[in-house]
Amino acid sequence: MPNTVIVGAQWGDEGKGKVIDIFAAKADYVVRYQGGNNAGHTVVIGKDSFVLHLIPSGILHKGKVCIIGNGVVVDPKALLEEIGTLEKEGISVNGRLFISEEAHVIFPYHKILDELKEQKLKKIGTTKQGIGPCYADKVARSGIRMIDLLEEDTLKEKLQHNLEEKNAILTRIYNTGGFSFDSLYGEYLDYGKKIKRYICNTKQILNDAIKKKKRVLFEGAQGTLLDVDYGTYPFVTSSNSTAGGASTGTGVGPTKIDKVIGVVKAYTTRVGEGPFPTEFTPDLMEKIRQKGKEFGATTGRPRRCGWFDSLVVRHSVMINGIDEVVVTKLDVLDDLDSIKICTGYRFGGKAYTDFPSSIKVLTGCEPVYEELPGWKKDTTRVTSYSKLPPNAKNYLKRMQTLLKTKIVLISVGSERSQTFSKGA
Ligand code: GDP
Ligand code: IMO
Ligand code: MG
């Protein structure tokens, strides 16, 4: 397997966890490169279902080395809880989980500020995990990194400085309580002691491994339309979830990355606020939400659902340089009489076939649809492309033509085994 990035091509929750778990079988290293515990990646193995937030989904394969790269923001409390949950299930992370010393650390003031901003300023519908405020500190050069948790003096100085600012914001702007230095300092020094064994120079480990021809899988979180540069800004997350982030978020140069695979849901979903041109009407929304179990893996919020939007995914193919596509959740469309595919937008007398940047256009546009007949057959037990109903094949073929990109794998259920290749 070449060094491969797996990226979400829509607004997240495309089924990346399942796809990464499948590809991880052939990889030596699985690396998260951005985001934090805002992600929720579900992997179903037989009767067991695992939801990973921070630890790469590759951890479920024995012997794979899992890395949390410098581009990730880490909440140490959430990390220790996730490690605890895995260990209870008999999955040990010892000796195969490594965290970049340069990854930034989420503090409780980031979470409170995330919540307060949502309540009092702009509503993005964040996961309230402190992701945005932590990345804001990173870019403002006042963030605290994993390595700082291991140096008492550095942590003391940085935390004192940060609390002066954060407590002033919390008390004077938001009229709420601040944080005590002593208790936070003690808590985070303690986290440092507990996670010291995982913190190291992960960029060196990865580059040394690549020199030895080891195979690296880069695990994207969120989706292209949630990317801070290429998504529906400001209704996005605060990192580069696109394939370029795999390089800056791990310290592996772009010349060492060979392939990008896009994970595409057979329809579209999004959680939180922001434009969604192909969003369903309430009745169909409820039907697909129930059938597809479209509830957030992190927050439990109901996901908004809509038709497949070829402008969104073509934008993703271009931005990420997607070489191949994996289509997930085809089975969720099994009962429909007919299925729509969005092929353009109309707004203010203008026709759009490329994804526009304007939120005004995206909010007000009217989608242009093609309608294809449904297949009205259960696909969850289909084990090869040739056995798919003809109308399901037509739907995939149309998708492939519109995306100008090869579909290589199709998923018809959450289980590892409910996956087959498309063939030539
Ligand atoms: P991720 O964030 O991209 O990893 O996706 P999530 O795990 O948040 O959401 C995808 C959901 O769909 C999970 O509950 C998966 O178990 C489930 N899933 C993945 N592939 C399929 C599929 O082909 N069919 C069905 N019905 N469910 C799937
Ligand atoms: P995975 O990896 C779907 C969304 C939130 C909100 C916006 C900003 O499971 O696909 P944040 O907390 O990141 O500041 O929220 O991004 N969001 C996700 N939506 N899947 C995710 O992750 C998401 N992570 C963040 O709902 O709209
Ligand atoms: Mg998810």
Side-chain angles (χ1 to χ4, degrees):
M1 190 198 78
N3 297 329
T4 304
V5 185
I6 304 234
V7 76
Q10 291 144 318
W11 275 282
D13 303 325
E14 297 89 350
K16 298 177 293 293
K18 170 176 171 168
V19 175
I20 287 154
D21 172 68
I22 288 170
F23 280 83
K26 290 186 195 148
D28 300 300
Y29 289 74
V30 186
V31 196
R32 272 284 302 271
Y33 58 85
Q34 48 69 233
N37 60 322
N38 48 350
H41 297 172
T42 316
V43 182
V44 180
I45 306 167
K47 288 195 185 86
D48 297 322
S49 175
F50 301 85
V51 182
L52 294 143
H53 298 286
L54 205 44
I55 298 176
S57 307
I59 204 77
L60 303 175
H61 284 272
K62 267 193 188 145
K64 305 294 172 186
V65 179
C66 289
I67 289 184
I68 294 179
N70 55 279
V72 176
V73 286
V74 180
D75 180 337
K77 187 165 182 263
L79 174 78
L80 287 164
E81 277 169 14
E82 199 164 321
I83 293 174
T85 308
L86 285 170
E87 303 224 307
K88 256 191 225 145
E89 297 288 334
I91 297 156
S92 172
V93 304
N94 274 340
R96 62 192 193 99
L97 175 67
F98 300 100
I99 305 171
S100 165
E101 48 200 18
E102 288 149 343
H104 280 245
V105 182
I106 297 179
F107 281 77
Y109 49 78
H110 292 129
K111 290 180 76 166
I112 297 273
L113 285 168
D114 196 355
E115 275 178 39
L116 289 168
K117 274 187 140 181
E118 282 286 291
Q119 277 168 26
K120 309 218 165 149
L121 298 171
K122 193 159 186 68
K123 195 157 167 31
I124 305 287
T126 74
T127 60
K128 298 183 182 162
Q129 302 296 334
I131 306 295
C134 184
Y135 277 115
D137 276 0
K138 172 178 177 175
V139 178
R141 295 160 294 184
S142 54
I144 297 178
R145 303 185 298 170
M146 293 309 279
I147 195 161
D148 302 331
L149 298 184
L150 310 183
E151 296 172 4
E152 290 192 13
D153 296 353
T154 314
L155 179 62
K156 190 174 196 175
E157 192 192 319
K158 287 192 169 187
L159 189 58
Q160 267 169 346
H161 180 264
N162 279 1
L163 275 187
E164 258 176 54
E165 186 207 13
K166 305 299 177 200
N167 282 343
I169 295 173
L170 289 168
T171 54
R172 290 191 216 145
I173 296 181
Y174 292 111
N175 293 319
T176 182
F179 287 89
S180 124
F181 168 79
D182 287 340
S183 80
L184 262 194
Y185 180 57
E187 184 184 341
Y188 275 72
L189 270 184
D190 191 42
Y191 290 145
K193 286 189 188 115
K194 288 187 175 135
I195 56 186
K196 187 174 178 209
R197 68 174 100 164
Y198 310 115
I199 302 175
C200 60
N201 182 349
T202 53
K203 56 190 180 299
Q204 197 68 52
I205 296 181
L206 280 169
N207 282 289
D208 288 349
I210 289 171
K211 265 198 199 123
K212 289 183 195 142
K213 304 274 181 239
K214 299 285 182 198
R215 296 153 302 179
V216 182
L217 189 62
F218 297 86
E219 170 170 347
Q222 288 81 54
T224 302
L225 276 293
L226 289 172
D227 182 282
V228 69
D229 283 284
Y230 303 107
T232 43
Y233 189 90
F235 303 99
V236 292
T237 191
S238 301
S239 61
N240 283 118
S241 47
T242 41
S247 187
T248 54
T250 61
V252 173
T255 52
K256 305 284 185 289
I257 299 176
D258 309 302
K259 193 172 188 180
V260 180
I261 293 180
V263 185
V264 176
K265 202 177 271 193
Y267 48 101
T268 315
T269 60
R270 108 168 270 179
V271 206
E273 305 299 314
F276 185 173
T278 63
E279 191 162 10
F280 290 140
T281 50
D283 281 2
L284 192 51
M285 174 96 76
E286 204 41 42
K287 188 173 170 177
I288 296 293
R289 183 181 286 150
Q290 294 305 330
K291 174 120 177 144
K293 300 197 178 77
E294 294 295 359
F295 296 89
T298 298
T299 58
R301 290 179 293 175
R303 294 174 183 150
R304 299 158 65 193
C305 308
W307 296 115
F308 177 77
D309 187 334
S310 65
L311 282 74
V312 162
V313 184
R314 234 184 359 249
H315 168 75
S316 294
V317 166
M318 176 175 80
I319 296 305
N320 294 296
I322 290 175
D323 298 299
E324 292 172 350
V325 160
V326 177
V327 175
T328 61
K329 305 194 92 158
L330 186 71
D331 55 296
V332 177
L333 304 179
D334 281 354
D335 305 332
L336 300 180
D337 294 326
S338 67
I339 302 171
K340 289 184 186 175
I341 293 186
C342 174
T343 55
Y345 304 147
R346 263 194 232 108
F347 182 77
K350 201 175 153 192
Y352 292 81
T353 47
D354 291 328
F355 192 73
S357 309
S358 161
I359 294 296
K360 188 173 161 188
V361 173
L362 286 167
T363 309
C365 70
E366 192 194 322
V368 178
Y369 289 115
E370 266 179 30
E371 197 154 350
L372 278 74
W375 44 93
K376 310 264 299 177
K377 280 204 177 82
D378 179 10
T379 58
T380 57
R381 287 187 193 86
V382 171
T383 50
S384 70
Y385 180 74
S386 63
K387 291 192 182 128
L388 272 179
N391 285 349
K393 283 187 196 162
N394 285 342
Y395 182 67
L396 292 168
K397 277 184 202 152
R398 186 64 189 131
M399 225 183 212
Q400 188 167 268
T401 305
L402 286 165
L403 300 181
K404 299 188 180 80
T405 310
K406 200 172 168 209
I407 297 172
V408 288
L409 215 60
I410 294 150
S411 167
V412 288
S414 51
E415 235 291 310
R416 266 180 188 170
S417 59
Q418 290 174 299
T419 322
F420 48 84
S421 68
K422 179 161 175 297

